Amino acid sequence: MSVSSLALAQTLLNGALLGCLFGSIALGLSVKWGHLGVADFFHLSLTLLGAYVTYSLVSEQLWDPFLTLVVTVPVFFVIGVGVQWILLALQAEAFTSLLITFALFIVTESAVSMVWSPDLLNLRPMLADGFTTSLRLPEPLPQLAVQPVDLLALVCALVMVGVSAFALGRTRSGRAVQAMRQDGEIAQTLGVRVVPLTLAVSGLAASTAAVAGMVVALRMPLSPSLPLQWIGVVVVATMLGGLGRPVGALVAAIAVMMIQNAWSLWFPPQWSPAVAFGVLFLFLAGAPALRLARESTTARRLA
């Protein structure tokens, strides 16, 4: 099947912008998995919960979508702190933490179905035209169009990932998190307050789910099973980008979604979700060869 260059360009653009949304979702998971050692699948459920709360506040209370963050961000911060406190109190190892967060993942899906509805809920018909009217790109790309919500996803991703990367790499607290990641006991001996810092990182990671959830509510119909559709791309982006690396997770999410969207132009769309895991498989298969090549190159330079 032949595909025009315009169709391919639009598909890749849509994939990149959707990847920004998945990068925002992957941000919290990457930070917690990389720096706290917690593969927190409950983070996906928090994103869904944030979307449903946004839907309720906008559709029933007529709130502005951005105003909902005044409620969801601090509430989700408290939830993130609470979940991490429970894990610390139980002295949960990595596998136990995985089981606990996955259990919360399943419970949240059922709770959302009972509190709201198992049917699709769509906020877009209630939004102002400024959220739903497509925008044409300026010259030299006037034939390409973007949705305002996708631009919002781009801005939110850049802000949250940029702030996270700066905080982890350039601030005193960020360096403490890095030290805690390498060896918590030594970091505590050197004066790092491990428990408060761990709780704060978990709370901030959960807060990013509130922002991502708002964008989800504005962009797509809501269903309790949405996290099951996200989990492949989010986990793959987290691992490809490097655990604990916000910029890497965002770049990986964009790349995966561009590849996945392009795949659907030539092959059956139902196979698109498998593309993410295919990319991960190729990366993991090629990683040892790349590592050996780097080591051999370094050895030759030193010789």
Side-chain angles (χ1 to χ4, degrees):
M1 182 182 68
S2 62
V3 177
S4 67
S5 58
L6 178 60
L8 178 60
Q10 185 67 64
T11 299
L12 293 176
L13 176 61
N14 293 340
L17 293 173
L18 183 57
C20 290
L21 175 56
F22 282 114
S24 297
I25 299 173
L27 170 61
L29 177 61
S30 177
V31 169
K32 290 198 67 175
W33 199 345
H35 296 288
L36 305 184
V38 178
D40 187 6
F41 289 102
F42 179 55
H43 183 79
L44 299 174
S45 299
L46 281 179
T47 303
L48 179 70
L49 190 59
Y52 272 95
V53 172
T54 300
Y55 173 88
S56 295
L57 292 177
V58 173
S59 63
E60 298 174 9
Q61 305 300 322
L62 304 181
W63 283 31
D64 183 274
F66 299 105
L67 187 59
T68 62
L69 297 177
V70 176
V71 173
T72 56
V73 168
V75 170
F76 279 33
F77 180 88
V78 173
I79 293 174
V81 170
V83 170
Q84 189 63 34
W85 181 84
I86 291 173
L87 297 178
L88 292 175
L90 295 175
Q91 297 182 350
E93 299 293 335
F95 183 69
T96 305
S97 299
L98 173 63
L99 293 179
I100 292 173
T101 59
F102 190 75
L104 292 173
F105 174 89
I106 300 299
V107 169
T108 303
E109 179 181 345
S110 301
V112 167
S113 297
M114 291 187 295
V115 173
W116 281 275
S117 170
D119 301 325
L120 291 177
L121 299 178
N122 196 350
L123 189 59
R124 289 183 65 82
M126 309 175 197
L127 298 176
D129 292 341
F131 284 103
T132 58
T133 304
S134 297
L135 303 174
R136 292 287 178 182
L137 294 183
E139 296 289 348
L141 301 171
Q143 293 180 304
L144 299 181
V146 297
Q147 292 288 329
V149 174
D150 288 332
L151 294 180
L152 176 61
L154 170 63
V155 172
C156 289
L158 292 178
V159 170
M160 291 195 298
V161 169
V163 170
S164 300
F166 177 82
L168 289 171
R170 299 297 182 87
T171 66
R172 182 177 180 181
S173 297
R175 289 191 289 271
V177 171
Q178 301 282 0
M180 183 178 67
R181 174 188 182 182
Q182 295 175 4
D183 195 313
E185 293 184 358
I186 293 179
Q188 191 166 13
T189 302
L190 295 176
V192 175
R193 302 176 63 189
V194 172
V195 172
L197 189 58
T198 298
L199 296 177
V201 170
S202 180
L204 292 172
S207 297
T208 65
V211 180
M214 179 200 68
V215 179
V216 167
L218 298 177
R219 192 189 187 284
M220 63 185 67
L222 301 181
S223 166
S225 62
L226 273 179
L228 293 175
Q229 302 174 27
W230 301 337
I231 193 168
V233 174
V234 171
V235 172
V236 169
T238 300
M239 298 183 69
L240 286 180
L243 299 180
R245 297 180 178 178
V247 176
L250 175 60
V251 172
I254 292 174
V256 168
M257 288 310 303
M258 291 178 68
I259 295 172
Q260 187 166 301
N261 273 21
W263 170 280
S264 64
L265 289 176
W266 288 281
F267 303 99
Q270 58 266 31
W271 287 98
S272 295
V275 173
F277 291 102
V279 172
L280 178 62
F281 173 79
L282 292 175
F283 174 79
L284 295 177
L290 292 175
R291 189 181 303 111
L292 288 175
R294 286 197 300 265
E295 291 176 354
S296 61
T297 301
T298 303
R300 285 197 299 269
R301 290 177 179 177
L302 296 175

